[in-house]
C-alpha cells in the first residue's frame, strides 16, 4: 500500500517553545486514524503543519506523494480540513463559498463540483441564502463539502 501521509522528524517551535518534537509516522492509504492527546499536546499544531497552514520548524512530510517542501499549492489541492470552526464566509451563500474556495485552490471544475457537493450534503435548495442564516449543522455540512 502507498503512504497517504508520511511525517519524518517533524518539529514545530513557537518562540523557542517546542510544541512538536521529531514526530514521525506513516498513515497508509485508506487507513482510519484518531489523533488524541491532552490539551496542549500539539494535535492542532500537527494538523496545521500537515495542512500547510503553519510551517514546520524542521523535518519533512509528504501527503499523497507530494513533498511539503515543494509546491504548497499543489499540496493544498490534495488536502481537505474540517475543523471545529467551519471557517466559512458568513456573508456569502453556500454556492459562493464553494466557488470561492474552488477558485482559490485551483479546482478546474469548480461550478460543477460545487453543485455536486451541495447536493451531496443536502444544501442545494439553500444554495442562494446567506450562510449566516443557516444552522450550525448546515455550517458543518457546508464545511464538509468545502473539505471534500
Amino acid at each position: 500500500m502507498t503512504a497517504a501521509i508520511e511525517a519524518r522528524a517533524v518539529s514545530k517551535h513557537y518562540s523557542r517553545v517546542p510544541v512538536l518534537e521529531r514526530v514521525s509516522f506513516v498513515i497508509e492509504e485508506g487507513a482510519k486514524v484518531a489523533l488524541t492527546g491532552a490539551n496542549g499536546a500539539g494535535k492542532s499544531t500537527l494538523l496545521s503543519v500537515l495542512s500547510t497552514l503553519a510551517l514546520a520548524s524542521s523535518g519533512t512530510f509528504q501527503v499523497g506523494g507530494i513533498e511539503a517542501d515543494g509546491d504548497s499549492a499543489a499540496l493544498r489541492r490534495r488536502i481537505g480540513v474540517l475543523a471545529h470552526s467551519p471557517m466559512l464566509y458568513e456573508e456569502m451563500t453556500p454556492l459562493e463559498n464553494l466557488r470561492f474556495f474552488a477558485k482559490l485552490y485551483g479546482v478546474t471544475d469548480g461550478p460543477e463540483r460545487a453543485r455536486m457537493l451541495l447536493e451531496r450534503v443536502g444544501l442545494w435548495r439553500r444554495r442562494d441564502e446567506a450562510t449566516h442564516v443557516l444552522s450550525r449543522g448546515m455550517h458543518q455540512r457546508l464545511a464538509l463539502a468545502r473539505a471534500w
Side-chain angles (χ1 to χ4, degrees):
M1 247 190 196
T2 306
I5 303 172
E6 182 177 354
R8 297 174 297 277
V10 173
S11 297
K12 177 67 178 171
H13 301 92
Y14 291 105
S15 300
R16 296 186 189 177
V17 176
V19 178
L20 299 174
E21 281 294 329
R22 301 186 53 77
V23 174
S24 297
F25 59 87
V26 175
I27 299 175
E28 299 297 334
E29 215 171 273
K32 292 176 178 48
V33 177
L35 182 60
T36 63
N39 289 348
K43 300 177 299 289
S44 295
T45 299
L46 177 61
L47 293 176
S48 292
V49 168
L50 293 176
S51 62
T52 71
L53 297 174
L55 293 174
S57 300
S58 63
T60 61
F61 67 94
Q62 60 87 19
V63 177
I66 300 173
E67 287 291 328
D69 59 357
D71 182 5
S72 62
L75 186 58
R76 280 192 198 108
R77 280 193 285 278
R78 298 190 49 99
I79 299 172
V81 176
L82 178 58
H84 175 72
S85 174
M87 298 183 284
L88 301 167
Y89 288 100
E90 298 274 327
E91 66 282 358
M92 290 181 175
T93 68
L95 186 58
E96 290 169 335
N97 264 283
L98 292 187
R99 285 181 173 174
F100 171 76
F101 284 105
K103 188 171 185 176
L104 184 66
Y105 289 102
V107 176
T108 56
D109 61 342
E112 298 83 17
R113 187 164 171 78
R115 179 185 180 110
M116 181 269 298
L117 289 169
L118 288 173
E119 288 174 349
R120 185 174 285 178
V121 298
L123 290 175
W124 180 248
R125 291 174 47 193
R126 308 288 301 266
R127 69 187 174 273
D128 294 322
E129 297 179 37
T131 298
H132 70 85
V133 304
L134 301 177
S135 71
R136 169 97 170 118
M138 290 178 183
H139 280 180
Q140 285 298 96
R141 286 193 271 158
L142 180 56
L144 178 62
R146 186 202 59 235
W148 218 319

